[in-house]
Amino acid sequence: MNATEWKEKLSAIRDSFSVSINNVQTENPEAIELRFLGRKGELALLLRDLKDIPIEERKALGALGNTAKEEMMVRLGALKGVPASAGPAAKPNLDLTLPGWPFPKGTLHPLTVTLNRMTECFAKLGFSVAEGPLIEEDYFNFEALNFPPFHPARDMQDTFYVDVKDASGKDMLLRTHTSPVQIRTMKNQEPPIRIISPGRVFRSEAVDASHSFAFHQIEGLYVDKNVSMADLKWTLEEFMKDLFGSSAKVRFMPSYFPFVEPGAEVEVSCVFCRGKADGPRCPVCKGTGWIELLGAGVVHPNVLKACNYDPAKWSGFAFGAGIERFAMLLFGISDMRMLYENDLRILKQVQ
Ligand code: FA5
């Protein structure tokens, strides 16, 4: 069938449809519908024949067929008492200028935003990202980090053990910090090394406004020739200025971690109470005016030796920061627990 024949056939169908509609006393509307518009009705069969017509003519003929179909439906609907606006024939009445339904836009979690911003700051300083497992061996979490077995410093981080043994027969554990990634990286790479490693960590700890039992840290490790505490201070100060702006005050307090010597705790001025001693005691900084954000120090020679690095040749610095504490400061969240409650009023404030 060619296009002209097809049009003639369509016209014939329309005519006989009109005849049937006018003789509705002898033919009921359902029978007319079945004959012309049913799945195997005359119009459906004609539309199927379109496949034999060259593509350039097919589109226009298809449109003619659809218009005919809509007209037939309206006329049949009128017979059955269905208003024209109720069926597909109502389409021409659609107001396409009406605004659509609002489509809610998701937001990133404040912890993800914080982590992204921190990672960007360190990327600018040349740090790349390394990863490690959440279920860790005692060797990587403690021993190679200069925590010998039964060393009292192991009590600094209350550990969740898992009922699975590692190759040496020791219980595996949920990593208590991201520092094992230092060891994994140094064992796999030659210096110089400049990595950060974000991820989840777990400790059997009581939950309060600034503590959780499952939280996030970001580890940093830089190993090269002649790396000193001064490099560490410069790097962390640059990072804090980039993240918080120049108004945030930072201080380094001496501290002890078995895997660094010397070690420091880095604190930032409390953005909630601004260190005011008067007024109610601030629940975030506990009235001290400072919030501990991270531990840091110069990599201990025993750690370098455990990774087969010669401490006479190589030196480095490392740091480990709590990502929740940074998120609280960046977004003015005064209680860490809010970060895990999935309250949309909190989550939607962060873009
Ligand atoms: C450590 O975890 C060391 N691995 C950090 C380190 C790395 C020191 C490299 C030296 C060199 P600490 O236990 O202090 O240290 O934890 C580091 C940071 O994690 C803290 O400063 C704090 O920001 C965050 N943090 C610690 N405990 C919690 C907790 N329970 N909930 C939320 N954040 C925590």
Side-chain angles (χ1 to χ4, degrees):
M1 191 187 304
N2 64 28
T4 317
E5 287 164 349
W6 194 91
K7 276 196 226 166
E8 282 167 9
K9 187 92 193 280
L10 178 66
S11 167
I13 291 174
R14 285 172 112 161
D15 290 344
S16 54
F17 175 80
S18 293
V19 172
S20 297
I21 287 282
N22 293 334
N23 291 332
V24 76
Q25 289 88 347
T26 49
E27 274 187 80
N28 71 41
E30 281 73 21
I32 300 174
E33 184 170 17
L34 200 66
R35 182 178 150 205
F36 292 97
L37 299 172
R39 219 157 47 86
K40 290 189 180 161
E42 291 187 28
L43 188 62
L45 294 178
L46 184 68
L47 287 169
R48 236 171 272 168
D49 286 342
L50 278 174
K51 66 178 184 323
D52 303 319
I53 293 185
I55 190 136
E56 48 297 350
E57 289 166 315
R58 204 182 297 161
K59 208 172 155 195
L61 295 184
L64 280 180
N66 284 335
T67 311
K69 189 176 174 183
E70 281 176 11
E71 279 171 12
M72 290 180 184
M73 286 169 85
V74 172
R75 289 183 72 185
L76 266 172
L79 273 185
K80 290 191 206 163
V82 179
S85 60
K91 266 187 201 160
N93 298 331
L94 267 183
D95 183 353
L96 296 177
T97 61
L98 284 175
W101 293 107
F103 192 72
K105 190 162 78 82
T107 51
L108 291 176
H109 192 279
L111 283 173
T112 310
V113 175
T114 309
L115 174 58
N116 290 349
R117 288 198 197 165
M118 293 172 85
T119 308
E120 273 166 31
C121 295
F122 283 114
K124 283 187 231 164
L125 296 172
F127 286 78
S128 54
V129 175
E131 286 186 333
L134 303 186
I135 301 177
E136 192 48 282
E137 294 175 29
D138 181 282
Y139 175 80
F140 291 105
N141 196 80
F142 288 127
E143 207 168 321
L145 285 163
N146 202 27
F147 291 86
F150 308 113
H151 191 283
R154 286 179 176 231
D155 295 340
M156 288 163 73
Q157 302 173 357
D158 273 337
T159 311
F160 287 116
Y161 285 92
V162 181
D163 203 8
V164 177
K165 306 264 183 232
D166 63 24
S168 66
K170 287 192 178 146
D171 281 339
M172 302 275 286
L173 49 88
L174 299 186
R175 67 178 184 186
T176 56
H177 52 175
T178 41
S179 299
V181 185
Q182 289 186 34
I183 305 298
R184 289 185 175 274
T185 309
M186 283 193 273
K187 282 198 177 266
N188 281 324
Q189 285 179 37
E190 294 294 315
I193 285 177
R194 209 176 334 176
I195 54 123
I196 51 164
S197 180
R200 300 188 86 186
V201 301
F202 309 86
R203 291 184 196 176
S204 176
E205 269 189 35
V207 172
D208 65 20
S210 53
H211 290 88
S212 173
F213 58 89
F215 55 102
H216 298 77
Q217 286 189 337
I218 186 164
E219 192 79 8
L221 174 69
Y222 176 41
V223 183
D224 206 333
K225 288 182 178 147
N226 303 318
V227 178
S228 71
M229 194 73 179
D231 298 301
L232 170 66
K233 275 199 83 177
W234 181 87
T235 306
L236 290 180
E237 275 168 2
E238 283 303 301
F239 160 68
M240 299 282 191
K241 271 193 250 163
D242 193 359
L243 197 66
F244 293 120
S246 47
S247 66
K249 282 184 270 162
V250 178
R251 72 177 186 184
F252 285 71
M253 308 292 283
S255 186
Y256 172 73
F257 301 95
F259 37 97
V260 287
E261 180 57 39
E265 234 158 45
V266 182
E267 300 181 347
V268 72
S269 47
C270 179
V271 294
F272 298 100
C273 67
R274 302 193 188 282
K276 284 192 185 116
D278 50 346
R281 186 169 175 262
C282 172
V284 183
C285 69
K286 307 215 161 50
T288 61
W290 294 92
I291 300 173
E292 175 210 323
L293 282 183
L294 55 98
V298 172
V299 180
H300 197 290
N302 287 352
V303 174
L304 295 172
K305 279 188 220 153
C307 300
N308 295 324
Y309 285 13
D310 179 359
K313 189 171 169 197
W314 302 107
S315 52
F317 69 67
F319 56 85
I323 297 177
E324 276 79 354
R325 305 248 173 112
F326 278 87
M328 290 166 77
L329 289 177
L330 281 176
F331 302 118
I333 297 171
S334 59
D335 191 320
M336 188 178 287
R337 287 165 288 197
M338 289 181 191
L339 289 169
Y340 310 116
E341 283 166 359
N342 289 334
D343 184 335
L344 286 179
R345 288 168 304 174
I346 299 274
L347 300 184
K348 284 196 164 172
Q349 285 175 44
V350 176
Q351 298 293 330

